[in-house]
Amino acid sequence: MNKWVHEVGQSIQRRNLLCRGQSVLVAVSGGLDSMVLLHLLGALSETYSWKIVVAHFNHQLRGRSSGADERLVQKTSRKLKLRFVTGHGDVKKLARANRLSIEMAARKLRHEFLARVAKKLGIKTIALAHHADDQVELFFVRLFRGAGIDGLAGMKWKSPSPVDSTLELVRPLLNQPKKLLCEYAKSEKIHFREDISNASIDFQRNRIRHELIPFLKKHYQPALERTTLRVMEILGAESSRAKSATLDWWSSKSKPSFSNLSIALQRRSLRLQLLAQNVSTNFKLIESLRAKEGQFIEVGAEFSVARDSEGQVQVRKSKTAGFKSVPPGKFHLSKLRGEILYQGTKVQWAILRKRGDQVLRTSNCLFFDADKIGPKITLRLWQAGDKFQPIGMAAPVKLQNLFTNLKIPKTERHERIVATQARGEIFWVEGLRISEGFKLDNKSSRRLKWQWQRL
């Protein structure tokens, strides 16, 4: 047996990736990495009695080339006397429909296929061909995305399938450099197909592979792969320790309060709870939860989250956002002052006749030109198509766009009150700047003091 193959076999046993005699589904694309993995596991199966099934997913991205990949994997499986299963999916269609990158859409469909085949055949383990060079590239991809310690630790030797947690993904080549895979393919005359998209620098990962890493190796660290993998191993160990410490805190009967935990454990605790409830996490969300006790924070359009004083995370479904059919509130500025209650908000107004009047400015208080507005006012909720021209803007814009730019939650937008004058023009939107068309100027003789309060 080839010395390198023997070493990989020992690594697999030492890490308990595959047990003697077990079944394993091997994901094979037809490229060098997966074809080497297939041949290697095939050679080792004579010693370890593994029952190998080959799975190939056709992404339908490269026309005839995709079909040629599939035929090669099928032919190789037949030669090795292994069962072959294939599937296909429309990656571009999924990417368009869900606004995903081609890479992410392909990954989603591929993992769904692998999980589907594994479940059908009663196989619990899926082998993937990720290697050491993939780990290094992933480190920089995630670094540029601002990933935390878990992300920078990279892929694990064993991890649950992203589609079905009862299935296990194993990566027998994770510590092997691409160079050794190339040498093995050459020595064993293994046929494989090159994906020409791997050479394109249109994708960030390829730019990291072909431009950044060679540059860093040449000018900064010749042993970049080794040092990066060492850092990832350290981060992985520290990530595991942080998770363990968090679980210890949860289970402790005399545990310190959430506020007395270190920032690292606070973040880890919140993140683990969110992930357990299938809530996608990011740094901004975690920090908002840490800082705001008892305040629900909207996550997308479906639900919101909050944490209590003990650090426990609550998730609740958001109210369905939509335009409401609520009667408007109409009134007349026939008096110098007055107030009206509308949809839980009290609006007070006063007409100030003298330009030299001293005015006490407070929060939720604006001043308009009373004569430009006129005496008839209507209060109502925001509606589809409403336009408003904030002071300083050259033309009216849709309120929808203003709310989006200001990142006002969808469920909150439909509670915002607007005020219109007799011609139906909006001069006030709750929480926004005053209108350009109704602002005070040098010709203004009467001022409308407009103050509101949510009850």
Side-chain angles (χ1 to χ4, degrees), residues 258-259 263 266-275 277 279-299 303-316:
F258 181 81
S259 59
I263 293 176
Q266 287 181 358
R267 289 171 176 163
R268 179 58 61 115
S269 172
L270 296 173
R271 182 173 184 274
L272 289 177
Q273 291 181 74
L274 290 171
L275 291 176
Q277 299 185 67
V279 179
S280 298
T281 66
N282 56 56
F283 182 78
K284 182 178 179 181
L285 174 59
I286 296 295
E287 291 306 283
S288 296
L289 283 174
R290 282 204 322 111
K292 300 172 182 177
E293 176 188 326
Q295 182 174 333
F296 277 91
I297 301 165
E298 190 174 76
V299 182
F303 47 85
S304 54
V305 297
R307 66 108 180 150
D308 60 21
S309 60
E310 296 180 352
Q312 299 297 310
V313 172
Q314 297 173 275
V315 178
R316 72 181 183 189

Side-chain angles (χ1 to χ4, degrees), residues 202 251 280 297 354 415 426 439:
D202 292 337
S251 60
S280 298
I297 301 165
K354 295 181 180 180
E415 303 291 336
I426 297 176
K439 67 181 181 182

